Amino acid sequence: MGPFLNHVLANCAIILFVILAWTHAPFSARASGFSHQIKTGIVFGLGALAVMLRPLEIEPGIYIDLRTIPLAMAGLIGGWPGAAVAAAMTGAYRLWLGGAGALPGLVVISLTAAIGALGSVYLARRVAHYAEIGLFSAVIALGDLFVIQLLPESGSAPEIHDAAPLWIGIVFVTTFSACLAVFAELRRRVTEQRLQMYEAVIQSLPESLNVKDLAGQFVLANPATATLMRASSAEALIGKSDFDFYPASVAETLRADETAVMEKGVPLTIEQTVSWENDEPLVLSTLKSPLRDKSGNLIGLVTHNRDLTEKKQLMLALADSERRVKAALSNMADGLIMFDADLNVVLCNEQYRGMFPLTADLRVPGAQARVILEGALARGEFAGIPAERASEFIDGAMAKLRKPGVVEFPLYDGRWVESRTTPTEDGGCLVVCSDITRSKRDEQELRELNEKLEEMAMTDGLTNLLNRRAFDASLAAEMARTQKNGSCLSLLLIDVDRFKAYNDTYGHTAGDECLRQIAKAVRATARRRGDRAARYGGEEMAVILPNTSAQDALVIADELRQRVRSLDLRHEASEKSIVTISVGVAAFDPDASPKTPDQFVNQADEALYSAKAAGRDAVRGEQWLALQARKGEGI
């Protein structure tokens, strides 16, 4: 058994050396990858070759050794690339050795490498548990047992068969130990990488993070802590306490907070203020958490500081701005309401709610615009909206809130409101409402004044009939309408008989009063809708009679003549002894050659001349004779 044990010990020493070499290889500490797997395969392949250089030759050309262990490690650590490289190296060497055991040797090399690669796939780059290591070692040992059973029982083979249990035990223990060593190294690397990542994270944090021992001295700190405490570097903090950097009063307060946290044994977030002489104080949000070891014993304190100074300043500025905005909203004359993208009320001032007293309870933050409108219609707050148009009105109002514009609408109590809508970037809108009741009233008064002024500009001041300019415009419009519609149009031209003599006899004041009395009679004649009575000039007056034939116009003219006679105004300078009028009647025929207004007036003037020539107090026109014959008496 001496050569056998020497052989085993030599192989174990080589395997140990290979593991040490892999542990300290420059590439082994780098991130895993294909290149790393190839290099791992080379290292363990060389280890397997080294083991094969110290074999136990039991028959010519038949060797046994611990090559399966580095081969298995090559596959387990290096995956299929590492297994392939190690198997190729050892397989080539075994072929070169030749002999009767060449083929079984290649089989065991390939099988062991495959088992290692399968183990790598199963682990998926994680560290194996003890049970998994034991199972893997048992599989490798059983593989060796299988090879021993294939050896012939001649020569030294019986000795190997007898020593098979010992050999398998050695293979199992060696494989198990090798796996423990390799995975311990892998575990160390993972831990080291995590620590490096943790340190990198801590060092790169923009906020202060540090660890203190039970005495309050720094054992770990990042650069942000050094910046906060005005230290030259994070290393300058190690072994020192807050008393070395803060004023004594500040340090004592901080230490009291730390002591309270350690006594309670639970994390605590507090707000702390630190300051230096002649400097603005800093406001910190500080998380202090007890630090314990694996046994649960308190060993220190972890502190995370967040500078809230700028945030506090912004909050104060924001609060001040909010106060100013609220003051502005409260003191502005207009009502203001803001809606979000879903047309829900975000805010509104009291002036806005006061404009709509019937629905003030609905106009509050969170209310939906459609609900407000429905409530306003149901309570009768909007004027002039019939029930059958309620849905149409609401849809239109909702659509107007989506685009800029100005809307004016009346309320139930006679007030008018103007709303100006401005869309916001977030899809909502801002609406400013103004009470425009006074301006609406002023506007109406101005409109009525303009109408009155316009009426005055078109009215004769003495007779209150239309003046000459209004007469010309009305006659032209009626002639155009008659030509378009093919209807009738007649014109009466009236003259007060012997009016100059009346003025000479009774004076101009009496003459003016005479004209006013006659004007009343003329207005009474032009009583239909559309009739127009005007003072044509001096003592001449005119009446435009739309939709009136020539014969009907003669009748109306004669009624007017008799109405004036019935006034019984004394006129000693007239052969009639009373004031009378003469009337000329003209009819406009749209089917005849078109007449201008001047031609139409001239036609009536010619008829008036005929009436005066007939002795005054008469009516004349183209149809006068026919009418006289029909009536059987003179006009």
Side-chain angles (χ1 to χ4, degrees):
M1 293 295 290
F4 175 75
L5 291 177
N6 290 336
H7 164 78
V8 170
L9 292 176
N11 279 195
C12 289
I14 294 172
I15 292 171
L16 177 60
F17 176 78
V18 170
I19 293 174
L20 290 174
W22 171 79
T23 301
H24 294 86
F27 66 86
S28 63
R30 300 175 185 174
S32 61
F34 184 78
S35 175
H36 173 78
Q37 291 174 319
I38 295 296
K39 293 175 181 178
T40 299
I42 293 174
V43 170
F44 283 101
L46 291 174
L49 290 176
V51 169
M52 293 173 69
L53 292 175
R54 294 284 300 174
L56 177 63
E57 187 174 9
I58 60 174
E59 290 289 339
I62 300 177
Y63 310 94
I64 64 170
D65 48 50
L66 295 179
R67 76 187 77 164
T68 54
I69 297 176
L71 280 172
M73 293 295 102
L76 190 62
I77 306 303
W80 68 264
V85 170
M89 293 171 63
T90 54
Y93 179 70
R94 186 64 189 88
L95 284 175
W96 179 78
L97 290 177
L103 183 58
L106 291 176
V107 171
V108 74
I109 288 173
S110 300
L111 180 61
T112 304
I115 292 173
L118 289 174
S120 176
V121 172
Y122 171 78
L123 291 177
R125 298 181 59 177
R126 65 178 175 81
V127 176
H129 302 303
Y130 289 115
E132 293 170 335
I133 294 175
L135 178 61
F136 181 76
S137 301
V139 171
I140 298 300
L142 291 174
D144 274 26
L145 177 61
F146 174 73
V147 173
I148 291 175
Q149 296 301 320
L150 294 178
L151 295 178
E153 297 185 5
S154 61
S156 300
E159 182 180 350
I160 295 302
H161 282 283
D162 294 338
L166 178 61
W167 175 260
I168 298 307
I170 292 173
V171 171
F172 176 83
V173 172
T174 306
T175 304
F176 191 87
S177 301
C179 288
L180 287 179
V182 167
F183 284 118
E185 174 61 19
L186 291 176
R187 190 176 291 106
R188 185 193 65 80
R189 292 180 188 178
V190 170
T191 302
E192 183 179 0
Q193 289 176 349
R194 288 179 179 175
L195 290 176
Q196 290 174 350
M197 287 191 294
Y198 293 154
E199 184 177 2
V201 169
I202 292 172
Q203 296 298 320
S204 62
L205 277 177
E207 298 173 345
S208 169
L209 183 66
N210 58 78
V211 178
K212 295 179 181 177
D213 59 19
L214 297 178
Q217 295 179 333
F218 290 97
V219 295
L220 178 66
N222 65 350
T225 304
T227 301
L228 174 65
M229 302 187 67
R230 302 186 178 183
S232 58
S233 64
E235 291 75 15
L237 294 171
I238 307 304
K240 297 182 180 179
S241 68
D242 292 334
F243 290 91
D244 296 309
F245 299 93
Y246 291 127
S249 59
V250 174
E252 289 174 357
T253 301
L254 297 179
R255 182 56 183 168
D257 292 336
E258 292 174 355
T259 302
V261 171
M262 288 188 290
E263 289 177 352
K264 293 180 179 179
V266 294
L268 181 65
T269 300
I270 56 178
E271 189 172 293
Q272 297 178 319
T273 301
V274 298
S275 61
W276 289 265
E277 187 176 356
N278 300 324
D279 280 349
E280 290 292 330
L282 297 178
V283 180
L284 304 177
S285 174
T286 303
L287 170 64
K288 295 183 180 296
S289 178
L291 181 62
R292 301 181 183 277
D293 58 17
K294 292 183 178 180
S295 301
N297 299 317
L298 183 67
I299 59 174
L301 193 70
V302 179
T303 303
H304 174 228
N305 296 308
R306 177 173 295 170
D307 190 347
L308 299 181
T309 306
E310 184 176 354
K311 181 179 178 181
K312 283 286 185 180
Q313 293 173 346
L314 291 175
M315 290 177 63
L316 291 174
L318 178 60
D320 185 58
S321 298
E322 289 179 347
R323 283 194 298 271
R324 295 184 180 184
V325 169
K326 288 181 179 179
L329 292 178
S330 299
N331 293 293
M332 67 186 297
D334 294 331
L336 180 142
I337 185 170
M338 179 178 287
F339 295 94
D340 60 18
D342 296 324
L343 296 184
N344 296 317
V345 178
V346 176
L347 63 88
C348 62
N349 62 1
E350 287 302 317
Q351 288 83 341
Y352 171 79
R353 300 178 72 245
M355 285 183 178
F356 306 95
L358 299 187
T359 55
D361 59 314
L362 301 179
R363 302 174 188 268
V364 294
Q368 220 280 331
R370 181 174 292 276
V371 174
I372 295 175
L373 292 171
E374 290 173 348
L377 289 179
R379 300 177 187 182
E381 194 160 45
F382 295 135
I385 309 297
E388 61 272 13
R389 291 189 58 243
S391 179
E392 177 186 351
F393 171 79
I394 292 175
D395 292 341
M398 294 290 288
K400 289 176 182 177
L401 289 175
R402 297 293 187 183
K403 53 187 177 181
V406 179
V407 178
E408 296 178 354
F409 52 90
L411 298 179
Y412 71 101
D413 55 1
R415 289 180 297 119
W416 277 80
V417 174
E418 177 188 79
S419 66
R420 300 180 296 280
T421 302
T422 303
T424 55
E425 293 182 357
D426 60 357
C429 65
L430 180 69
V431 182
V432 178
C433 295
S434 304
D435 189 333
I436 58 171
T437 306
R438 183 178 182 84
S439 64
K440 274 289 184 180
R441 186 182 301 116
D442 293 343
E443 181 182 332
Q444 180 63 27
E445 291 177 355
L446 179 61
R447 185 184 300 109
E448 292 174 354
L449 178 61
N450 288 334
E451 290 175 354
K452 185 176 292 186
L453 290 174
E454 183 178 357
E455 181 180 351
M456 291 174 63
M458 303 292 284
T459 303
D460 177 67
L462 177 63
T463 63
N464 284 330
L465 301 178
L466 296 178
N467 59 22
R468 175 63 180 272
R469 185 177 68 173
F471 168 79
D472 290 341
S474 297
L475 181 61
E478 287 298 331
M479 290 180 67
R481 188 185 64 81
T482 300
Q483 283 182 320
K484 180 178 180 180
N485 298 337
S487 57
C488 303
L489 177 64
S490 295
L491 174 64
L492 307 183
L493 196 59
I494 306 156
D495 184 71
V496 182
D497 297 328
R498 307 292 186 183
F499 186 70
K500 182 177 182 304
Y502 187 91
N503 273 340
D504 292 342
T505 303
Y506 300 104
H508 289 284
T509 301
D512 290 346
E513 181 58 30
C514 176
L515 290 178
R516 281 193 284 267
Q517 294 294 325
I518 295 173
K520 289 181 180 179
V522 172
R523 279 200 303 273
T525 300
R527 59 184 176 272
R528 299 178 308 166
R529 182 180 180 88
D531 293 348
R532 298 286 187 274
R535 184 181 182 185
Y536 189 72
E539 69 275 15
E540 289 187 327
M541 303 179 192
V543 179
I544 302 172
L545 299 171
N547 301 313
T548 304
S549 65
Q551 291 183 356
D552 292 339
L554 287 171
V555 174
I556 294 172
D558 192 55
E559 291 177 354
L560 174 60
R561 182 188 65 81
Q562 294 180 21
R563 188 186 297 270
V564 172
R565 285 184 64 84
S566 66
L567 293 176
D568 197 23
L569 299 175
R570 184 179 177 80
H571 191 353
E572 295 179 352
S574 171
E575 63 271 21
K576 309 296 183 179
S577 299
I578 59 174
V579 175
T580 60
I581 61 172
S582 297
V583 184
V585 180
F588 177 67
D589 184 2
D591 295 330
S593 57
K595 298 182 179 69
T596 64
D598 289 342
Q599 291 173 333
F600 193 22
V601 172
N602 288 338
Q603 181 182 347
D605 192 52
E606 290 175 0
L608 176 61
Y609 180 78
S610 297
K612 286 183 175 294
R616 296 181 173 81
D617 190 22
V619 175
R620 289 295 184 272
E622 291 181 356
Q623 301 295 324
W624 179 78
L625 292 176
L627 178 63
Q628 184 183 31
R630 188 177 78 239
K631 294 174 64 175
E633 59 183 11
I635 297 179

